[in-house]
Amino acid sequence: MKFAACLLLLVNAVFVLEKVGCLCNQLSRSDFDPQLQLPEHASTRQGRSSRAVPGQTRQTGQGRSSSDQTFEDEIANWEKAQGVKRAWQQRPQQGAKCVHRVRTQTACGEVCSCYKGRWLCCRQRKEFSRMTSKEVERYIHAYVTVTTKQPYKKIYDAMVAKHERLFDQAIHKWPQFWPWHRYFILKLENLLRRVDCKVTLSYWDFTLHWRRPLESKMWGSRHLGGNGHQPDDCVRSGPFRRGSWHVTPSAGGGCLKRHFTGKLISPKVLTYSLYYFKTPSQLRTFEKIVSVYMHSGVHMALGGIMATNQSANEPSFWMLHSFADKLWAAWQSRGQRFKVTPYAGMRHTVLSEQDAGESFTVADMYDTEHLPGHVCVHYAAEMSEKTALATSRLLGLAAPTRTPRNLSPTKLHSLLSGMSREERKQMAEMKKELHESDKYYR
């Protein structure tokens, strides 16, 4: 009996060790590909037409001579030939099967957890001024690499040309503005992570230095460089200075141009705009405020190439759209209805001109916790420090770094009455801009 019991224990121990070995192999797989992949719920749509809103023509694949999938294959082949081994090759394969409740911290700084039997890895995006010097260094290096070195540059050039090509089309109108740009910046972030898996896309909270934008450290000579100089408005400092870095061929291949004009949006105006609207169905109006007044206003304030349809050449373009995406995420954090209800009847709208094999819709971009490729994105703070403090002091909020779901009319009035004459002028200009833009944007 004792011998039989010992034998049984030995068999069970071998079985457990085999299971642990399989799990360890899974956690250290070297075939993870951080390019944008189809999640299971989206991949089932390949090979058939997705539903679109009435009157909309599916644009997937239009205007391309070759697919980005070919470029991705070229990168993979190049890395293999060069013997390149990235840190991301020692992390779980996103979307691969896993054991329930298993959680791991990766060398890439992500937290991967098992969600419904599949790996889901969360990355964090930080406001540029809150990044450490090392994080900034890695970010700039990765960005310069993908914009200047092959084979990454092919994908980057194609992305910038795509935005230029679609500029006056659906991507800057309802309902695609936020979903399409969430897809777009995720594509660039995945490309940056091919160079350095610890890099995530930064965001630029333009309210932090709204009176004097050039005071932000992001315009320093070791970061994005400063303003353009006369007579050609070319940037002459930093890694993107004239002679060291060039815009894409679709934009002429010349120097990066900037011409700062005016001021940006006050944090109080931004906070008031976010909480003025109380119901999920008002997202369309809030989106219009962000896209027309804040987003377009910043584009024009920076001037140079940022004020043209070639704006995706500007390094700050991606950071601005990351902040716009953060504002949408803040709206969505107010509850499930704020995610789904605003796009009722349009959730199957196919996003414009995607890459080969992709057929993502508006609904695929609802949730930053579950983005295509089994990617999860967290923003480092729901509000900038200055925005949060302005809100908390005026409204008496207990937790200034957390986004409240709604503000009462009394608290909104307190916020409005606390605005300076300059901020009230911004509010008036915003209302006027929205009224005049109705025909073009809607």
Side-chain angles (χ1 to χ4, degrees), residues 425-441:
K425 183 179 179 181
Q426 283 192 354
M427 292 288 291
E429 290 174 349
M430 179 173 67
K431 293 178 181 178
K432 181 180 179 181
E433 182 95 15
L434 293 173
H435 177 73
E436 292 178 349
S437 66
D438 274 340
K439 291 183 180 180
Y440 178 78
Y441 279 86

Side-chain angles (χ1 to χ4, degrees), residues 204-219:
W204 170 36
D205 184 347
F206 50 77
T207 68
L208 289 172
H209 301 89
W210 68 281
R211 283 194 173 95
R212 291 173 289 276
L214 285 173
E215 289 185 357
S216 172
K217 78 171 189 178
M218 67 181 283
W219 306 116

Side-chain angles (χ1 to χ4, degrees), residues 348-359:
H348 297 292
T349 301
V350 180
L351 301 181
S352 297
E353 196 172 313
Q354 301 175 54
D355 298 333
E358 296 177 347
S359 187

Side-chain angles (χ1 to χ4, degrees), residues 61 63-71 154 158 165 354-356:
R64 290 198 302 266
S65 58
S66 60
S67 70
D68 285 355
Q69 184 63 41
T70 303
F71 298 152
K154 286 187 178 181
R165 189 166 56 248
Q354 301 175 54
D355 298 333

Side-chain angles (χ1 to χ4, degrees), residues 94-300:
Q94 293 180 177
K97 292 182 179 180
C98 56
V99 179
H100 184 54
R101 292 185 178 179
V102 172
R103 188 182 181 92
T104 181
Q105 180 94 27
T106 73
C108 297
E110 295 174 307
V111 175
C112 296
S113 56
C114 192
Y115 177 78
K116 294 183 178 180
R118 300 283 176 178
W119 282 113
L120 181 70
C121 296
C122 291
R123 58 186 69 165
Q124 186 182 67
R125 294 175 183 167
K126 293 184 178 181
E127 205 280 327
F128 190 88
S129 64
R130 294 189 172 189
M131 296 170 69
T132 65
S133 57
K134 186 64 176 178
E135 288 172 335
V136 171
E137 181 182 340
R138 300 181 81 119
Y139 180 82
I140 297 296
H141 173 264
Y143 190 90
V144 170
T145 299
V146 301
T147 57
T148 59
K149 306 293 184 182
Q150 298 295 2
Y152 311 106
K153 191 177 186 313
K154 286 187 178 181
I155 301 179
Y156 169 77
D157 288 350
M159 290 180 66
V160 172
K162 178 190 295 185
H163 185 270
E164 180 181 346
R165 189 166 56 248
L166 301 177
F167 189 82
D168 291 325
Q169 299 182 33
I171 66 169
H172 288 126
K173 300 179 182 180
W174 179 268
Q176 290 207 44
F177 173 72
W178 262 322
W180 191 90
H181 283 89
R182 178 170 283 179
Y183 157 83
F184 195 51
I185 64 176
L186 182 63
K187 294 286 284 185
L188 180 80
E189 186 173 62
N190 287 335
L191 185 59
L192 293 174
R193 292 169 69 81
R194 293 301 296 253
V195 177
D196 186 342
C197 74
K198 290 187 177 181
V199 170
T200 54
L201 192 62
S202 176
Y203 69 88
W204 170 36
D205 184 347
F206 50 77
T207 68
L208 289 172
H209 301 89
W210 68 281
R211 283 194 173 95
R212 291 173 289 276
L214 285 173
E215 289 185 357
S216 172
K217 78 171 189 178
M218 67 181 283
W219 306 116
S221 60
R222 298 185 65 180
H223 300 145
L224 302 190
N227 200 4
H229 291 262
Q230 294 298 328
D232 52 12
D233 285 338
C234 288
V235 174
R236 288 183 168 84
S237 63
F240 307 103
R241 63 187 178 275
R242 185 178 66 177
S244 294
W245 191 86
H246 303 87
V247 297
T248 59
S250 63
C255 68
L256 174 64
K257 296 184 178 183
R258 293 184 186 132
H259 187 89
F260 285 93
T261 57
K263 299 175 181 178
L264 304 178
I265 308 302
S266 145
K268 293 180 184 177
V269 173
L270 174 60
T271 303
Y272 185 88
S273 302
L274 180 61
Y275 295 112
Y276 178 78
F277 305 103
K278 303 290 186 182
T279 64
S281 60
Q282 292 178 307
L283 174 66
R284 183 168 180 171
T285 305
F286 178 61
E287 181 251 39
K288 189 177 177 183
I289 288 176
V290 173
S291 66
V292 177
Y293 186 66
M294 299 181 185
H295 153 262
S296 297
V298 174
H299 272 270
M300 300 309 294

Side-chain angles (χ1 to χ4, degrees), residues 297-331:
V298 174
H299 272 270
M300 300 309 294
L302 262 63
I305 201 167
M306 191 68 158
T308 72
N309 62 352
Q310 300 164 342
S311 56
N313 281 277
E314 166 63 61
S316 64
F317 166 91
W318 306 94
M319 298 158 69
L320 169 62
H321 278 278
S322 184
F323 185 56
D325 184 70
K326 178 176 175 290
L327 294 178
W328 184 27
W331 171 281

Side-chain angles (χ1 to χ4, degrees), residues 1-13:
M1 288 294 292
K2 291 183 178 180
F3 176 79
C6 290
L7 182 61
L8 181 60
L9 288 173
L10 180 60
V11 171
N12 288 334

